[in-house]
Amino acid sequence: TLATTAVSLAALPGGAFVDKCGPMVVSFVSGSLVTLGLVGISLCKVYGTTHFDVFLVSFVTLAIGGSLTMFCGYALPFLFPSKCTLLIELTSCLFDASCIIFPVFKMFYDSGVKFTVLWAFYVGVAVVSYVALIISWSLNREELARSRSGNSADGEENSEGSESSALQDQPISKQFRTFNFVTILLFSSIQVVRSNIYLGVVDLVNAHIGELAGMTSASLSTMTTVVGLIIPQGWIAVPLIELSIHRLGVCGTLQVTSAIGVLYNVLQLVPSMAVQVINAVLFASFRAFLFSIITAYNAETFGPKTLGRIMGVCFLAAAIVNLSQTYLVQMSLTTFNGNFTPLNIFTILVSLPMFVIVGVLQLKERKNRAPQVEESATVDIKRRISRAYSHGAAPCTVAQIQEAVRAAQMEAAEAALAATAGAAPGAALLSLQPREQQLVAPSQ
């Protein structure tokens, strides 16, 4: 509990630290904290006393170092814009999957490996990993500087001209006052807490279902272990996340994530252990979608300069809301006598407004893109007309102009349909008709 609280409290200053000093410096600090934490854990049986809990202090130190490491990882995708979302997804999923370390360590410990030896080996792994990480950042300082200035390492522009990309040039105080930020703040506060509630009650819910089904304690323990091993495997959903972001965009993927969240809550109401195993797979996918899309949305909308602080505020807000988890679980155990159905229904109802809020944001994005598409199409039509005049004699000019206009309109229509994602087919093409008449009439 103290470790998770420390991670939440360190989110905002950690994000600001990365924004200010960059990932190379923060990787050195985080690597030092992680190494110290692991050394303390490896020695807690030898030096721990009743007056000073070495394990507790070391675990909190380890948690803060891990949180800083995650924030450093957010800077990497900007070096490779063509693979940006994929790298974000892998970073989020691997960070979440790191909890698999504990059951693996328990397996080795149960097989006879000494506690001190096990953690000393992990200290060595951490030292090698962080030294390699710091060297890698130092070798890519110029590329990192270019990416943080708005250009990728290979010279590509990260901005695409939309309202979201325009926010990247705004100071963070103005970014905080946008509907884009309010949307992701609410999304994080609701969905991250729902995710934590599932992790907090899944064993209790499954135990209740198992008792109703007459399962033995040994079978229930095995089922709990299976579910515990499934949940960290969210990385399997990376191809689906990648497909969703590229096909539906970040706002569409926010909607998909909310829908998956509702679905796993509904399945948790089914009193069947077989269904709960399937539900664990669905929840693992939800976790992967959740943390990937929060990062991807913030990266695309607010850019690399303020990403650390934006992410820190989102996680801090989620941590504050997460304080309600204790009371909700306690109410389920006492007031409802261990029945978690009311809690599941409550979490479903709480998430429903997000569909409307994100839908409003999608409408705003589409409305803002339409004038940009039309303006771009008009410029392209004029360019094609100019080219037609320069390549044709007078008798052929009108036909060439009409052909140029038709070609430009078709390209503009395709771009408009792709941008608006759901507008009536041909609407963008029809909106350009008056401009065609104005451009062609004088030449006739």
Side-chain angles (χ1 to χ4, degrees), residues 243-303:
L243 179 65
S244 178
I245 291 178
H246 284 284
R247 291 290 183 88
L248 304 177
V250 289
C251 289
T253 306
L254 288 175
Q255 300 284 40
V256 171
T257 304
S258 296
I260 297 174
V262 171
L263 181 58
Y264 85 72
N265 265 140
V266 171
L267 289 181
Q268 201 170 25
L269 297 173
V270 180
S272 168
M273 287 303 296
V275 172
Q276 296 313 311
V277 172
I278 298 174
N279 200 31
V281 177
L282 186 63
F283 175 76
S285 301
F286 169 77
R287 288 267 298 182
F289 265 87
L290 175 61
F291 291 104
S292 296
I293 193 52
I294 290 175
T295 310
Y297 175 93
N298 286 331
E300 179 178 305
T301 305
F302 304 107

Side-chain angles (χ1 to χ4, degrees), residues 185-202:
L185 184 69
L186 291 174
F187 182 87
S188 303
S189 300
I190 292 173
Q191 302 294 7
V192 171
V193 174
R194 292 180 68 248
S195 172
N196 291 337
I197 288 176
Y198 177 90
L199 292 174
V201 305
V202 60

Side-chain angles (χ1 to χ4, degrees), residues 2 10 19 23-24 82 187 191 243 265 283 316 328 364 443:
L2 289 177
D19 288 343
M24 185 176 70
S82 61
F187 182 87
Q191 302 294 7
L243 179 65
N265 265 140
F283 175 76
L316 180 60
L328 293 173
K364 286 172 60 68
S443 67

Side-chain angles (χ1 to χ4, degrees), residues 307-328:
L307 179 61
R309 283 166 287 176
I310 294 290
M311 293 293 296
V313 171
C314 289
F315 287 148
L316 180 60
I320 294 173
V321 178
N322 195 59
L323 295 175
S324 63
Q325 178 181 345
T326 302
Y327 302 101
L328 293 173

